[in-house]
């Protein structure tokens, strides 16, 4: 049986890998990034997401304390979370929409997704993403309710990523997703459990169930689309999946948590 100190070291190492995988925070890992370490560490993605959500919540609370309007505070919260993640997921969303919408063949779609330039489809996707999330947070308004929504959205949106990686094969042999590997079943289950816990604590059981259903439907639709159009998933597809998850959970939260209700 592994000693508790070794278990704790592994947990910390996994969190460092997960945090470095979805943020620009310079967190060095004591565990090698190769040999499936990233895939095994995906269980900690919801935890890393929770910290991103907390940073956004702190930004919103500070803005509210200074007397700024909910709309302005919501924008600052989004700026904070985007800076922490280095716009990684937004970049994935834009590349995905540009590639799937602008390419005619599988090869062309993948080439567009790898192009650092952004097209009109990608611009529209980013406008919609920021607009929907901003309007949801501004509608919620109450700082405590906003904190719950941000934490739930950032944790739950990343909780489904390991399952997506496990069920949908990489579209190409190279790239971020392929190099990360396939998450083992225990990492998929742990991530799902953490995401469900975050949703339940933030929104309550009934609303959490609604969020889980929407996330599952979004995952199935995106998986089918990715497989049909490019033969599988890429790092950009994973980023787009996370963004869609954030949007859905924030909209669910806005429907139930607005005005502190």
């Amino acid at each position: 049986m592994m000693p508790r100190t070794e278990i704790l070291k592994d947990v910390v190492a996994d969190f460092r890998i997960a945090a470095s995988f979805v943020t620009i925070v310079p967190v060095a890992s004591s565990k090698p990034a190769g040999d499936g370490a990233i895939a095994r560490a995906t269980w900690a993605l919801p935890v890393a997401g929770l910290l991103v959500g907390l940073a956004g919540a702190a930004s919103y609370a500070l803005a509210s304390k200074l007397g700024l309007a909910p709309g302005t505070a919501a924008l600052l919260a989004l700026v904070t979370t985007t800076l922490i993640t280095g716009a990684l997921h937004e970049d994935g969303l834009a590349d995905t929409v540009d590639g799937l919408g602008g390419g005619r063949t599988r090869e062309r779609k993948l080439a567009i997704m790898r192009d650092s330039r952004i097209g009109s489809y990608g611009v529209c996707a980013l406008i919609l993403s920021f607009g929907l999330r901003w309007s949801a947070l501004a509608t919620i308004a109450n700082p405590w309710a906003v904190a719950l929504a941000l934490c739930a959205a950032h944790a739950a949106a990343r909780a489904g990523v390991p399952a997506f990686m496990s069920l949908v094969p990489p579209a190409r042999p190279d790239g971020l997703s392929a190099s990360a590997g396939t998450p083992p079943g225990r990492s998929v289950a742990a991530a799902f459990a953490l995401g469900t816990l975050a949703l339940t604590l933030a929104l309550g059981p009934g609303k959490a169930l609604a969020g889980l259903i929407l996330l599952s439907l979004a995952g199935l639709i995106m998986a089918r689309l990715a497989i049909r159009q490019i033969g599988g998933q890429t790092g950009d597809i994973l980023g787009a999946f996370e963004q869609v998850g954030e949007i859905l959970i924030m909209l669910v939260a806005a429907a139930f948590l607005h005005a502190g209700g």
Side-chain angles (χ1 to χ4, degrees):
M1 186 174 180
M2 187 180 295
R4 291 182 179 180
T5 54
E6 290 300 319
I7 295 176
L8 180 59
K9 286 181 181 179
D10 283 346
V11 168
V12 172
D14 283 351
F15 171 72
R16 287 177 174 176
I17 291 175
S20 64
F21 193 56
V22 296
T23 74
I24 62 171
V25 178
V27 184
S29 174
S30 59
K31 180 183 289 188
D35 194 27
I38 293 178
R40 291 193 300 271
T42 52
W43 70 266
L45 289 177
V47 182
L50 177 63
L51 295 183
V52 174
L54 285 172
S59 178
Y60 187 97
L62 178 60
S64 297
K65 195 73 173 178
L66 294 175
L68 296 179
T72 305
L75 183 58
L76 290 173
L78 291 178
V79 168
T80 300
T81 57
T82 303
L83 287 175
I84 290 176
T85 61
L88 176 68
H89 311 95
E90 286 81 3
D91 179 69
L93 174 66
D95 286 344
T96 295
V97 176
D98 272 338
L100 300 187
R104 291 185 178 274
T105 66
R106 174 182 180 275
E107 291 70 24
R108 181 57 183 158
K109 291 176 188 293
L110 288 172
I112 292 174
M113 291 170 70
R114 272 191 160 168
D115 195 329
S116 60
R117 294 171 296 181
I118 187 172
S120 56
Y121 287 126
V123 170
C124 290
L126 289 178
I127 291 174
L128 289 172
S129 174
F130 278 103
L132 288 171
R133 287 181 290 160
W134 172 82
S135 62
L137 295 178
T139 297
I140 296 170
N142 180 278
W144 174 246
V146 166
L148 292 176
L150 283 168
C151 291
H154 281 276
R158 291 168 176 82
V161 171
F164 199 95
M165 294 172 67
S166 179
L167 296 174
V168 183
R172 50 193 174 207
D174 58 344
L176 179 63
S177 179
S179 64
T182 301
R186 62 181 180 276
S187 295
V188 173
F192 178 81
L194 289 171
T196 301
L197 178 63
L199 277 177
T200 303
L201 292 176
L203 306 180
K207 298 155 190 130
L209 178 60
L212 286 174
I213 292 174
L214 287 174
L215 285 175
S216 298
L217 288 175
L220 290 173
I221 292 171
M222 291 189 67
R224 180 175 175 81
L225 190 64
I227 291 173
R228 289 186 62 180
Q229 293 210 23
I230 60 175
Q233 46 91 2
T234 66
D236 286 330
I237 294 288
L238 297 179
F241 174 58
E242 190 279 338
Q243 281 287 280
V244 171
E246 268 191 51
I247 293 168
L248 290 174
I249 297 304
M250 287 189 192
L251 289 177
V252 169
F256 297 107
L257 298 179
H258 64 88

